[in-house]
Amino acid sequence: MADLAPGSTHGRIRSELERRITGGAWPVGTRLPPEPVLARQLGVSRGTLRRALGTLREHGLIEAAPRRGSFVISAVRTTVQSRQIGVVVPSIAKPSAASLVQAIEDELHRHGYSMLFGSSGASSAQESGRVRRMLENGVSGFIAYPIDYEPDVGLYAELKASDVPLVFIDRYLPGLRADAVVADNVSGAYEAVKYLADIGHRRIGFVSTDNLATTSVADRLQGYRQALVAAGLTYDDELVLWRIPVAGAGWELTESQRSENGNLLCEFLSESSPTAVFTLHDRLAFHLHQAAAVLGRRVPDDLSIVAFSDDPLAQTLLPGLTVVEQPRDRIGRLAAQLLVRRIQGSGEEPARYSLATTFLLRRSTAPPSAGRRGRRGPAPPKPRDLAAEAMAVLRANDAGSWTKPSAHQYPHQWNWDSALVSLGWALVDWQRAVREIESLLHAQWISGMLPHIRYDPAHLKGYFPGPDRWPNADRHHAPEIPTSGISNPPVLVTAVRRVAERAPDAVSRHALLSQTFPALERWLNYLARERQLDGCPLISVVHPWETGWDNSPRWDHLQAAGLKPRQPFTRRDTEYVGAEHRPEDRDYDAYLALIELLDGADYDVRRYREVSPFVVYDVFFDACWYRAATDLNAIAESLGARPPFERGELDEFAAAFQERHWDAELNSYFDYDVVAGRRIVVPTPAGIAATLSGLIPRGRAERMWTSYTGSSLDLRPVWTLAPKHPAFDPVCYWRGPVWVHLNWLIALGLATVGLDDEASALERHTIGLVEESGFSEHYSPVDGLGGGAPRFSWPAALVLELLGRNRVGKSVQPIIS
Ligand code: 9WN
């Protein structure tokens, strides 16, 4: 029998009894007290006791003799694994369940397992009743198809916590990290709706049941919305009907439900006048077909219908229904294989598998007839579709659970890139945004440090330096997740807060915030505690890559040290991007030498500072930390938890920030060189970007911005080095070029101090720049031409974010609604 964790009551009781047996208090032959007596002694219900006894039987410690009670038969646990798997689905009558169950059963059989089947009906009580009974009966794991409304999340979380192998099928429970095998609902729906748009439909409806929180439903809706965006169409509430209740447990509809649904569909067709409709499944398509007939509309001449396929009904309709076919057989088989692997102890991270669907074109779809198109006036002109292009960039760089900054130049996951990229995903595919964040947090070090790169083991050859340059890092992180040994500006907390604001519902929002909170807190605490030197609360930054502004002249003082690494190396970064856009060899010498020093100090900043010429208080990094700390406090409050950073601590940080970074004479904020003990006065916009902290008074921010715009000549904002500076170079990386993510962060800062108009103008300008020059790594402030790597992720994500709301700080209108 699957073992529930010691944390559960049953697990605790089981451990207690096991201790008595293995510890000799109950030697072999002992008859256990009668159940009611033992239950009373242990202070638990008989049900709980029975489950614990069941596990002990399973482990070969006790045996039940009919009418005589239970006896100890061995003091040594012999785990005999049951070869039975529990499979629960809402109803075997549900068309999408039957073929799945068949495939599961076949596959389990192949692996020597058999199946115990449970029907959870439409109630979470029945769902958990079935699961618990199966546990008592000794199943080794579960394949679960959760119910449509309010599945028993607690139950599944308990199974997870108790290490009971578990795989979800068809849908998954957001926030619960468990294996799931589902159809690629987003892409399937996207393909269908995009097809309708491509053949000329402009009024494309979506008909769904009302269980929008179910992930398969939410994802199909998402695919529908994305296809509209890609086709240059606007989402229109009027064209979405989602009030149809899910059919009952036996998949039957009562007569009154049938007529009620018929009425809803007729009303929808007459009032919204879609020329084409995508339906959540083919039974809805069938009903829609009937409603169309009632209204005298012909399919496909007056109405095209496409369905997400749930059952063989699709093939019987005339004309044949165009469908997105689900790979049910593959879903069932893969779920069974995964579960067997888990039972056999595979230590793989839980993963979600979205299997590709197949679009089957039959006869229920056709271009809209001229007459019907005319009913609502001419089709709107197709605008230049920046959003669709941005989505295509994100998809092209999507590595599954994270987004590469760009396909070739940066084939791994970068910390602050991913944080900001999640903001774009949140508008396109919210669950994908959550995965982006989760995969970043999985790379967290034991100390709480969140590395700047999480390496993809499959692409180690594509980027230098790889994990071998950080050899001692291995001891600090999970062995299967190689990482770099430095961190990045902590913009992730702010991003998580924003992604949460865009959650599809309160449950998902709460799940995201509560699950990421501990890791975020550990990271900020790591920075605040492990990166403190000499009692100063600011964050000691140990490498230019950690700042994210690699070769900015802010760090040119490093050159004086003339560092050379001990190990030779070959750069890879100029293979894809012109050398004029990149740092120089001597910069790379210093980067690699610093890594050697840091690794030699085993990533202990105090040891490192003894040997390194580079330790800085980066004004922008410090600002991001403070913003993150206040954002995390706000998250804690929204969760009803105690804010992790107390006022006193924040005040001390704020005072140090002003003391070290503010230069009253120059009216600006600068970095501080901890090694030399002085401010680093270089005219970059780092001080302006630091306004996002909330630590910079409006007056000072306004003066900095005015002075920036005044010295900007006709250049595109926001250059990263003042044009008058001798090192200014419009195309070389951080020595002049404009970066979309930096503009976004600066606009956030301007809005934070109340310079709303300035923030909006900068946002508009940034969108224009991308419209003009594409999604580049950076842009020349002189002519706006793109530089660095092309098809870059953060401009794509942040343009989506900017298009998706009216202005920073007052987030609302998602782009696709
Ligand atoms: C080193 C990924 C990263 C950004 C940095 C940017 C650049 C890496 C590099 O690319 O740095 O981390 O190899 O040049 O400077 O800000 O996070 O986009």
Side-chain angles (χ1 to χ4, degrees):
M1 176 192 248
D3 218 7
L4 281 186
S8 66
T9 317
H10 145 258
R12 199 167 38 74
I13 297 306
R14 199 254 304 133
S15 309
E16 166 59 24
L17 297 177
E18 196 169 312
R19 203 179 46 73
R20 289 184 193 182
I21 295 170
T22 55
W26 285 351
V28 173
T30 305
R31 179 180 175 172
L32 268 57
E35 274 181 20
V37 177
L38 191 53
R40 209 169 330 112
Q41 280 176 3
L42 296 167
V44 291
S45 71
R46 282 182 72 183
T48 304
L49 176 64
R50 276 203 199 129
R51 284 175 56 207
L53 293 177
T55 311
L56 297 186
R57 272 199 299 279
E58 218 19 74
H59 291 169
L61 294 172
I62 61 168
E63 200 173 70
R67 284 188 297 281
R68 295 181 50 224
S70 295
F71 290 85
V72 176
I73 56 164
S74 168
V76 186
R77 179 169 152 166
T78 50
T79 306
V80 186
Q81 217 153 38
S82 124
R83 312 267 309 168
Q84 289 212 92
I85 303 296
V87 176
V88 270
V89 307
S91 160
I92 192 67
K94 191 170 169 126
S96 55
S99 44
L100 278 173
V101 171
Q102 183 63 61
I104 292 170
E105 205 263 340
D106 283 349
E107 191 64 22
L108 288 178
H109 180 77
R110 252 171 35 80
H111 291 272
Y113 285 78
S114 52
M115 181 182 93
L116 210 57
F117 174 75
S119 205
S120 44
S123 91
S124 59
Q126 185 167 327
E127 184 175 38
S128 47
R130 294 293 200 270
V131 169
R132 291 190 192 282
R133 175 69 51 78
M134 287 189 200
L135 270 179
E136 284 167 21
N137 288 336
V139 296
S140 292
F142 278 100
I143 296 183
Y145 184 141
I147 60 171
D148 289 285
Y149 302 109
E150 300 181 0
D152 193 342
V153 184
L155 163 79
Y156 292 117
E158 192 185 327
L159 293 181
K160 277 301 294 170
S162 310
D163 287 334
V164 177
L166 170 67
V167 177
F168 289 117
I169 47 170
D170 187 81
R171 63 234 359 222
Y172 52 90
L173 302 182
L176 197 72
R177 271 174 38 76
D179 291 314
V181 189
V182 299
D184 189 343
N185 291 297
V186 179
S187 306
Y190 177 93
E191 199 180 353
V193 177
K194 187 70 178 21
Y195 171 76
L196 292 171
D198 287 346
I199 60 172
H201 289 279
R202 288 290 168 267
R203 293 192 61 76
I204 305 171
F206 179 45
V207 167
S208 168
T209 44
D210 61 0
N211 50 331
L212 292 188
T214 300
T215 56
S216 51
V217 183
D219 285 351
R220 288 175 209 176
L221 178 58
Q222 190 73 262
Y224 164 78
R225 301 176 94 156
Q226 284 179 20
L228 293 185
V229 173
L233 299 173
T234 317
Y235 176 90
D236 179 354
D237 271 337
E238 208 189 296
L239 284 167
V240 178
L241 172 65
W242 55 269
R243 281 183 295 132
I244 300 185
V246 177
W251 200 240
E252 76 289 353
L253 287 179
T254 61
E255 201 41 54
S256 71
Q257 278 170 329
R258 219 186 298 278
S259 71
E260 174 63 11
N261 290 355
N263 290 344
L264 279 173
L265 289 166
C266 285
E267 213 173 273
F268 170 70
L269 286 179
S270 354
E271 287 176 11
S272 306
S273 294
T275 60
V277 175
F278 168 64
T279 65
L280 184 74
H281 51 63
D282 40 20
R283 183 147 92 171
L284 286 175
F286 192 76
H287 293 315
L288 188 72
H289 202 282
Q290 288 173 328
V294 169
L295 297 175
R297 298 204 189 155
R298 287 161 308 154
V299 176
D301 303 357
D302 303 322
L303 181 71
S304 285
I305 304 181
V306 186
F308 215 96
S309 171
D310 263 339
D311 68 52
L313 196 60
Q315 290 152 30
T316 63
L317 210 62
L318 278 176
L321 188 59
T322 297
V323 291
V324 179
E325 192 184 49
Q326 299 208 57
R328 286 221 206 81
D329 189 64
R330 284 195 295 127
I331 294 180
R333 286 181 187 280
L334 180 59
Q337 288 160 9
L338 274 176
L339 191 73
V340 170
R341 287 219 297 270
R342 287 259 172 243
I343 292 171
Q344 291 168 350
S346 89
E348 300 157 42
E349 267 192 61
R352 195 171 299 147
Y353 299 84
S354 301
L355 306 191
T357 54
T358 314
F359 185 58
L360 293 179
L361 193 56
R362 298 205 185 95
R363 306 291 298 279
S364 62
T365 41
S369 69
R372 291 203 56 72
R373 201 185 311 144
R375 280 171 74 116
R376 285 264 169 168
K382 201 169 168 180
R384 156 98 198 260
D385 208 337
L386 200 57
E389 288 170 31
M391 282 198 290
V393 170
L394 283 190
R395 289 204 184 285
N397 293 341
D398 186 0
S401 356
W402 70 70
T403 315
K404 293 171 275 186
S406 75
H408 302 294
Q409 182 81 346
Y410 305 110
H412 305 292
Q413 180 175 32
W414 260 260
N415 182 329
W416 72 323
D417 294 64
S418 255
L420 296 175
V421 161
S422 72
L423 296 168
W425 279 121
L427 283 154
V428 183
D429 176 349
W430 193 80
Q431 291 299 342
R432 179 62 188 74
V434 172
R435 283 215 298 287
E436 186 84 28
I437 294 164
E438 283 172 353
S439 54
L440 193 52
L441 292 175
H442 286 160
Q444 186 162 40
W445 280 25
I446 299 158
S447 62
M449 204 272 286
L450 201 61
H452 102 296
I453 301 178
R454 172 189 174 154
Y455 290 105
D456 179 351
H459 289 107
L460 295 183
K461 290 212 176 77
Y463 180 81
F464 177 83
D468 56 318
R469 287 287 170 153
W470 317 86
N472 281 318
D474 277 357
R475 294 192 272 147
H476 296 273
H477 57 72
E480 69 281 10
I481 306 183
T483 73
S484 68
I486 51 174
S487 203
N488 242 182
V491 291
L492 177 65
V493 185
T494 307
V496 168
R497 199 174 164 200
R498 294 211 161 202
V499 169
E501 280 170 18
R502 299 227 185 265
D505 53 70
V507 175
S508 314
R509 179 178 316 121
H510 186 271
L512 169 65
L513 292 177
S514 57
Q515 277 167 26
T516 53
F517 181 82
L520 296 175
E521 181 183 9
R522 288 199 313 118
W523 183 26
L524 295 190
N525 266 328
Y526 160 82
L527 292 172
R529 321 257 178 269
E530 302 301 320
R531 291 299 189 88
Q532 266 198 15
L533 289 175
D534 312 326
C536 174
L538 302 180
I539 318 291
S540 306
V541 169
V542 294
H543 197 288
W545 284 341
E546 191 160 61
T547 71
W549 298 44
D550 306 7
N551 65 337
S552 167
R554 294 160 69 196
W555 320 132
D556 275 0
H557 64 276
L558 177 57
Q559 290 311 333
L563 292 180
K564 290 262 186 235
R566 275 180 289 109
Q567 272 182 277
F569 67 92
T570 311
R571 288 173 65 172
R572 306 283 321 262
D573 59 309
T574 43
E575 285 173 22
Y576 308 106
V577 166
E580 71 280 16
H581 298 252
R582 297 289 306 174
E584 294 178 30
D585 283 348
R586 59 179 189 149
D587 295 314
Y588 262 73
D589 278 342
Y591 300 153
L592 271 297
L594 289 182
I595 293 178
E596 287 176 354
L597 294 177
L598 188 63
D599 193 73
D602 198 20
Y603 302 94
D604 176 338
V605 68
R606 288 162 199 111
R607 282 171 59 194
Y608 170 77
R609 71 96 64 98
E610 301 298 327
V611 291
S612 172
F614 190 85
V615 180
V616 296
Y617 295 141
D618 167 356
V619 64
F620 174 68
F621 200 111
D622 279 334
C624 291
W625 184 89
Y626 189 87
R627 167 103 194 191
T630 49
D631 278 331
L632 198 66
N633 276 356
I635 291 176
E637 269 166 29
S638 76
L639 292 171
R642 203 173 54 83
F645 295 98
E646 285 177 10
R647 195 61 264 161
E649 183 179 355
L650 292 176
D651 286 348
E652 265 179 43
F653 189 97
F657 183 93
Q658 302 298 351
E659 198 230 329
R660 293 293 155 102
H661 293 307
W662 172 241
D663 190 315
E665 262 172 56
L666 295 171
N667 258 309
S668 194
Y669 285 81
F670 295 104
D671 308 297
Y672 188 88
D673 179 348
V674 178
V675 177
R678 59 167 176 259
R679 236 173 252 129
I680 304 169
V681 179
V682 180
T684 75
I688 298 175
T691 47
L692 63 79
S693 60
L695 283 171
I696 296 184
R698 181 187 162 120
R700 286 184 186 177
E702 207 163 0
R703 279 197 296 283
M704 284 195 290
W705 186 242
T706 315
S707 136
Y708 162 79
T709 45
S711 59
S712 204
L713 317 170
D714 283 335
L715 300 186
R716 312 296 183 99
V718 174
W719 42 248
T720 39
L721 181 63
K724 61 170 196 265
H725 192 279
F728 175 78
D729 180 334
V731 299
C732 182
Y733 227 32
W734 289 97
R735 301 177 83 82
V738 173
W739 296 70
V740 165
H741 74 291
L742 200 62
N743 279 10
W744 188 90
L745 290 162
I746 290 177
L748 172 66
L750 293 173
T752 302
V753 294
L755 296 173
D756 287 349
D757 293 341
E758 290 78 353
S760 298
L762 180 57
E763 288 170 356
R764 280 196 303 277
H765 174 86
T766 306
I767 295 173
L769 188 60
V770 177
E771 219 156 21
E772 191 182 322
S773 299
F775 300 90
S776 289
E777 186 172 8
H778 45 75
Y779 305 81
S780 157
V782 174
D783 52 20
L785 286 181
R791 292 178 70 70
F792 218 81
S793 293
W794 50 19
L798 294 174
V799 157
L800 280 171
E801 207 281 337
L802 289 175
L803 292 173
R805 67 188 155 81
N806 298 327
R807 64 166 12 285
V808 166
K810 301 193 182 100
S811 84
V812 263
Q813 303 308 319
I815 181 171
I816 37 208
S817 65

